[in-house]
Amino acid sequence: MWKRVSLLWSVVRGDARLLWFALRHPQAPYWLKPSLALVALYLVSPIDLVPDVLPVLGVVDDMVLVPLALAFIVRRLPGGLRADYARSPR
């Protein structure tokens, strides 16, 4: 279980770094800020697809849907922006 969580964190961390870079990049698409705001709103919102009062399922949906949403957003970024991120020093 912890191995899966650490793998999930490594994926989200890489996507989060790329998205942070993309937010400050001049070629950032117009839809990037609203889409990330919606993901953040879903994460902190008390309204979920599966309520958090259910012991395990309430947290699991956040651990699955948020990384999927971030990966979806990263795939939609322009290629030039991703190439600039790959060339940038980290």
Side-chain angles (χ1 to χ4, degrees):
M1 160 105 175
W2 290 111
K3 189 172 186 176
R4 289 182 186 173
V5 171
S6 67
L7 177 64
L8 181 66
W9 171 246
S10 66
V11 170
V12 170
R13 185 179 56 192
D15 287 348
R17 285 181 181 170
L18 173 57
L19 290 170
W20 180 252
F21 178 82
L23 281 172
R24 298 175 292 145
H25 198 276
Q27 292 179 353
Y30 68 92
W31 51 264
L32 183 61
K33 286 182 184 179
S35 62
L36 289 177
L38 286 174
V39 170
L41 182 66
Y42 175 78
L43 192 60
V44 297
S45 172
I47 301 170
D48 286 334
L49 291 178
V50 178
D52 288 338
V53 295
L54 297 174
V56 175
L57 296 176
V59 177
V60 170
D61 76 324
D62 292 340
M63 288 179 57
V64 171
L65 291 177
V66 171
L68 285 175
L70 293 179
F72 180 79
I73 293 169
V74 165
R75 283 193 310 265
R76 300 300 180 271
L77 289 175
L81 194 144
R82 283 186 274 160
D84 287 349
Y85 176 73
R87 287 191 299 261
S88 71
R90 287 178 218 131

